[in-house]
């Protein structure tokens, strides 16, 4: 029940409360603001930035990060992490090319590689629920998935020339690139599942306080396995998109992609410690990383510096996500009246 | 004689080499308030977690109204009307008041065949719960971490009593609370008792059970040591049983039936 507090103390504190609200707002939506400011600055300083070609191009580059990022948002909602997604992209890339070369129909190949992704993700999740830290399990998967990719391909990239893959990687519907459409569908479905279904709520509850979720009877083990399986499936989908865009299956695909995905999710405001997750934030995080890179490229900045800048942004984002966020929220709720027990 | 509302028979539970519970039995009538007391590691919490479906016993059975029940799952116990208020309240800090209250038994509606959380109905229902209980929180849509300790306890109480509970288990309900909050807990217990709900209180604070309880049960090292009516005992008697693990009356008069 909402009841207004109209005591003299709260009236006197009103401007102070507004400042608090502003601080919380800044910390919570800082990345949205940062993205808007960056895009404004780039539009003013580079004539090539604000063109539909450039914007669509950046969005298409961000698409695989967004696709996997949606899955990673669920994983991080449960207070987990999945470092294996980039290597899974490589394995899927290799398998896709190999199975197409073997003459399998392209749609069957897509279904098969996504199934592989789901199963490998579920395997990660199953081992994690045995009590091995997610960091260790998925780090091991990071090396082994790509390793299997190298074994199968013997280190060679295999060209993909199938028309369906050409459409997925480079085609468009009404002028919008196919990867962008796939990412948009994943985002909408992901947002819906996270915010409107039991599964999303249970993922957040698991990450927020696992023991509470357990005693309330939530199936923690199934939820954890499911979030890694979903992320595996989405990583495989991103692998298909990336292979299709590059027109080849390569064990070198998706190198360091896991870090970009995790950076995007954290930049967006999803908590590293679980319980708080946002799909919209993940999209903004992915766009921010890509637009920063794009803007610096347009200004002719040495690409090696771009990597450095990306790293600095990530650290700042984590700082905002953890320390500042906690302080701002604690500050916002430090209302002495809340603790006063009034009894009549 | 009709079957009691709740009966636990011969419950045993071991964790590895440690025997947490050894052949413990318990009977409880509707609307009665039982204080379960004992030193640390006496097995009180384990016994109650078994009753709440959070743990499964190695042996023994639980009967509700004389019919055996098998709680494989906390949700099964909650569906049977057995609720537990945990000492740490078992709330998820990031979730809202309503989300915590309905966690595990959400109300959903169907949109084009999809089961979607019915957030407005759940929010309205939880506001009703707080109104009916005379408890307050600033807003049911606030995350629980934005609430004070007393308000968080109100959420835990609303969750345990808002779904037609028949038995409410409270684990150390008055630990770390100020005097007003303790009074509110006692009020809640009395209200539940008057509504015919049975209450089991795990507590170190004997005065709470003297104030609102009907019976004491004393446990030590996984065994049930003794059983007393509130008006038939005193602090010294209970403390002696807690410390020695021996029921002096039963020892003096072995023929007397302890129940």
């Amino acid at each position: 029940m909402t009841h207004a507090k109209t005591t003299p103390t709260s009236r006197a504190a009103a401007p102070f409360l507004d400042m608090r609200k502003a601080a919380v707002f800044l910390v919570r939506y800082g990345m949205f603001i940062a993205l808007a400011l960056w895009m404004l600055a780039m539009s003013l300083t580079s004539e090539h930035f604000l063109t539909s070609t450039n914007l669509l191009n950046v969005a298409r580059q961000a698409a695989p990060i967004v696709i996997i990022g949606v899955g990673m948002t669920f994983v991080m909602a449960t207070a987990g992490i999945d470092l294996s997604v980039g290597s899974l992209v490589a394995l899927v890339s290799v398998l896709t090319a190999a199975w197409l070369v073997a003459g399998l129909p392209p749609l069957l190949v897509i279904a098969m590689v996504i199934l592989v992704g789901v199963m490998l993700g579920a395997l990660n999740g199953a081992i994690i629920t045995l009590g091995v830290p997610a960091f260790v399990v998925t780090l091991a998967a990071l090396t082994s998935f790509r390793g299997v990719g190298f074994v199968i391909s013997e280190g060679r990239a295999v060209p993909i020339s199938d028309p369906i893959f050409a459409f997925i990687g480079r085609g468009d519907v009404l002028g919008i690139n196919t990867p962008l459409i796939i990412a948009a569908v994943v985002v909408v479905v992901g947002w819906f599942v996270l915010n409107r279904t039991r599964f999303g709520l249970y993922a957040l509850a698991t990450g927020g306080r696992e023991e509470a979720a357990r005693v309330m009877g939530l199936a923690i083990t199934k939820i954890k396995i499911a979030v890694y399986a979903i992320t595996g499936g989405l990583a495989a989908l991103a692998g298909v998109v990336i292979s299709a865009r590059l027109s080849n299956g390569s064990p070198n695909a998706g190198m360091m992609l896991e870090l970009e995905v995790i950076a995007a999710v954290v930049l967006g405001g999803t908590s590293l410690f679980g319980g708080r997750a946002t799909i919209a934030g993940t999209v903004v995080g992915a766009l921010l990383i890509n637009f920063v890179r794009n803007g610096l490229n347009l200004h002719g900045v040495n690409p090696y510096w771009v990597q450095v800048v990306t790293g600095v942004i990530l650290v700042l984002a984590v700082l905002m996500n953890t320390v500042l966020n906690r302080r701002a929220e604690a500050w916002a709720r430090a209302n002495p009246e809340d603790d006063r027990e009034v009894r009549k | 004689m009709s079957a009691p509302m709740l009966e636990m028979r011969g419950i045993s539970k071991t964790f590895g080499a440690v025997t947490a519970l050894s052949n413990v039995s318990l009977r409880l009538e509707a609307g009665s308030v039982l204080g379960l007391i004992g030193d640390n590691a006496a097995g009180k919490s384990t016994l109650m977690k078994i009753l709440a479906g959070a743990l499964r016993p190695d042996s023994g059975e639980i009967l509700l109204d004389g019919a055996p029940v098998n709680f494989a799952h906390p949700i099964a116990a909650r569906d049977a009307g057995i609720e537990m208020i945990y000492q740490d309240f078992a709330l998820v800090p990031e979730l809202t008041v309503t989300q915590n209250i309905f966690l595990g038994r959400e109300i959903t509606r169907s949109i084009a065949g999809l089961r979607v959380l019915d957030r407005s109905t759940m929010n309205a229902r939880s506001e009703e719960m707080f109104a009916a209980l005379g408890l307050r929180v600033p807003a049911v849509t606030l995350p629980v971490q934005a609430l004070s300790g007393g308000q968080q306890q109100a959420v835990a109480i609303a969750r345990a009593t808002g779904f037609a509970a028949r038995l409410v288990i409270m684990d150390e309900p008055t630990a770390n609370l100020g005097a007003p909050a303790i009074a509110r807990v006692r009020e809640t217990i009395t209200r539940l008792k008057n509504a015919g709900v049975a209450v089991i209180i795990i507590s170190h604070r004997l005065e709470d059970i003297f104030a609102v309880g009907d019976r004491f049960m004393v446990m030590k090292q996984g065994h049930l040591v003794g059983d007393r009516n509130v008006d038939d005992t005193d602090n010294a008697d209970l403390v002696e049983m807690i410390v020695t693990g021996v029921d002096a009356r039963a020892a003096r008069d072995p023929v007397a039936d302890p129940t």
Side-chain angles (χ1 to χ4, degrees):
Chain A
M1 182 182 296
T2 347
H3 51 91
K5 282 175 179 161
T6 47
T7 54
T9 42
S10 71
R11 281 170 66 104
F16 187 55
L17 283 176
D18 286 347
M19 262 176 62
R20 284 177 172 171
K21 274 187 191 158
V24 173
F25 179 85
L26 258 183
V27 168
R28 195 171 291 164
Y29 297 104
M31 282 304 137
F32 290 73
I33 300 165
L35 178 63
L37 289 178
W38 176 264
M39 290 187 71
L40 182 67
M42 288 303 110
S43 310
L44 295 175
T45 55
S46 169
E47 53 181 329
H48 303 294
F49 184 80
L50 204 61
T51 60
S52 64
T53 321
N54 187 53
L55 296 183
L56 279 176
N57 201 27
V58 174
R60 190 178 62 183
Q61 284 164 8
I65 298 176
V66 170
I67 292 169
I68 306 175
V70 168
M72 191 71 78
T73 305
F74 279 89
V75 166
M76 288 173 69
T78 68
I81 197 153
D82 188 346
L83 300 173
S84 70
V85 290
S87 298
L88 190 51
V89 163
L91 176 57
V92 162
S93 184
V94 167
L95 287 177
T96 301
W99 285 339
L100 285 174
V101 167
L104 295 178
L107 292 178
L108 178 65
V109 169
I110 293 172
M112 282 167 63
V113 293
I114 288 177
L115 186 64
V116 167
V118 168
M119 286 170 61
L120 289 175
L123 179 66
N124 272 340
I127 299 172
I128 287 162
T129 55
L130 294 178
V132 188
F135 181 84
V136 175
V137 173
T138 59
L139 187 63
L142 178 151
T143 67
S144 31
F145 290 172
R146 196 179 293 278
V148 174
F150 272 103
V151 170
I152 293 173
S153 65
E154 295 173 335
R156 285 192 293 266
V158 176
I160 293 173
S161 56
D162 180 84
I164 291 181
F165 275 79
F167 171 72
I168 291 173
R170 294 144 184 260
D172 62 75
V173 179
L174 304 172
I176 301 170
N177 306 108
T178 324
L180 214 52
I181 293 171
I182 295 174
V185 171
V186 169
V187 165
V188 171
V189 173
W191 178 88
F192 180 83
V193 172
L194 181 65
N195 296 296
R196 291 289 182 268
T197 70
R198 282 188 169 160
F199 178 74
L201 182 66
Y202 291 178
L204 289 165
T206 301
R209 186 171 288 168
E210 189 169 326
E211 190 48 34
R214 193 187 308 280
V215 298
M216 286 300 124
L218 306 191
I220 311 270
T221 304
K222 280 186 198 161
I223 293 162
K224 284 193 176 172
I225 293 175
V227 294
Y228 288 96
I230 289 168
T231 304
L234 289 174
L237 179 62
V240 168
V241 170
I242 290 172
S243 309
R245 195 179 79 212
L246 303 175
S247 300
N248 71 44
S250 162
N252 288 307
M255 201 72 89
M256 303 285 276
L257 194 61
E258 58 282 339
L259 292 185
E260 284 197 41
V261 170
I262 291 165
V265 175
V266 174
L267 274 174
T270 293
S271 168
L272 281 163
F273 310 108
R276 187 161 47 83
T278 151
I279 298 283
T282 297
V283 174
V284 170
L287 289 177
L288 184 66
I289 290 174
N290 280 275
F291 274 116
V292 165
R293 184 180 303 149
N294 172 253
L296 295 176
N297 283 343
L298 288 178
H299 282 87
V301 175
N302 181 334
Y304 295 122
W305 277 115
V306 177
Q307 294 186 16
V308 177
V309 171
T310 311
V312 171
I313 292 175
L314 180 60
V315 171
L316 287 177
V318 173
L319 188 71
M320 203 138 142
N321 185 318
T322 55
V323 183
L324 285 179
N325 197 17
R326 209 176 306 145
R327 283 201 192 154
E329 303 227 339
W331 190 41
R333 94 172 70 99
N335 184 347
E337 278 182 69
D338 289 350
D339 283 316
R340 193 179 303 160
E341 304 281 348
V342 186
R343 294 192 54 81
K344 294 174 184 117
Chain B
M1 188 182 130
S2 68
M5 190 198 92
L6 169 75
E7 189 170 3
M8 297 178 85
R9 283 190 195 151
I11 304 285
S12 296
K13 176 80 185 171
T14 57
F15 296 106
V18 181
T19 303
L21 291 174
S22 163
N23 195 25
V24 175
S25 296
L26 176 158
R27 287 163 69 102
L28 195 61
E29 302 296 338
S32 67
V33 178
L34 170 70
L36 193 56
I37 60 173
D39 213 346
N40 291 333
K44 308 174 302 251
S45 291
T46 307
L47 185 66
M48 290 303 105
K49 281 182 180 165
I50 287 171
L51 187 52
L55 286 176
R56 308 206 58 182
D58 297 335
S59 61
E61 54 179 351
I62 301 173
L63 297 96
L64 269 183
D65 301 323
V69 287
N70 187 4
F71 300 141
H73 209 261
I75 290 179
R78 289 164 79 188
D79 287 344
I82 298 178
E83 297 279 350
M84 181 149 176
I85 301 177
Y86 291 84
Q87 188 174 0
D88 65 355
F89 308 142
L91 301 171
V92 181
E94 290 86 355
L95 298 188
T96 68
V97 170
T98 300
Q99 285 172 330
N100 269 290
I101 285 179
F102 284 90
L103 192 58
R105 48 187 164 193
E106 295 78 8
I107 300 172
T108 56
R109 63 201 158 98
S110 180
I111 295 181
L114 292 169
R115 296 230 289 164
V116 181
L117 297 174
D118 190 346
R119 299 190 299 173
S120 52
T121 304
M122 286 190 280
N123 281 330
R125 281 275 304 276
S126 50
E127 283 183 5
E128 283 166 22
M129 281 180 202
F130 283 104
L133 290 170
L135 297 173
R136 315 182 140 192
V137 288
V140 294
T141 50
L142 270 183
V144 157
Q145 62 187 357
L147 303 183
S148 69
Q151 289 167 343
Q152 294 191 8
Q153 188 194 35
V155 176
I157 290 174
R159 176 167 69 185
T161 60
F163 294 89
R166 304 186 61 202
L167 165 65
V168 176
I169 304 161
M170 300 185 175
D171 191 355
E172 299 287 355
T174 54
N176 310 319
L177 288 186
I182 290 177
R184 190 173 50 203
V185 169
R186 289 183 179 177
E187 230 168 65
T188 304
I189 295 168
T190 308
R191 195 175 35 74
L192 288 170
K193 176 182 164 64
N194 293 340
V197 178
V199 180
I200 300 179
I201 309 165
I202 305 173
S203 185
H204 281 101
R205 285 167 45 93
L206 302 181
E207 60 264 42
D208 291 327
I209 299 157
F210 276 116
V212 293
D214 301 312
R215 245 171 82 210
F216 282 100
M217 270 180 53
V218 185
M219 292 185 70
K220 188 172 174 80
Q221 291 172 346
H223 293 267
L224 193 60
V225 176
D227 194 316
R228 292 277 191 282
N229 284 328
V230 165
D231 49 19
D232 182 33
T233 185
D234 56 34
N235 238 6
D237 179 31
L238 294 167
V239 170
E240 191 192 338
M241 280 200 282
I242 291 171
V243 173
T244 63
V246 177
D247 185 345
R249 289 186 202 172
R252 270 198 304 271
D253 183 10
V255 230
D257 184 2
T259 54

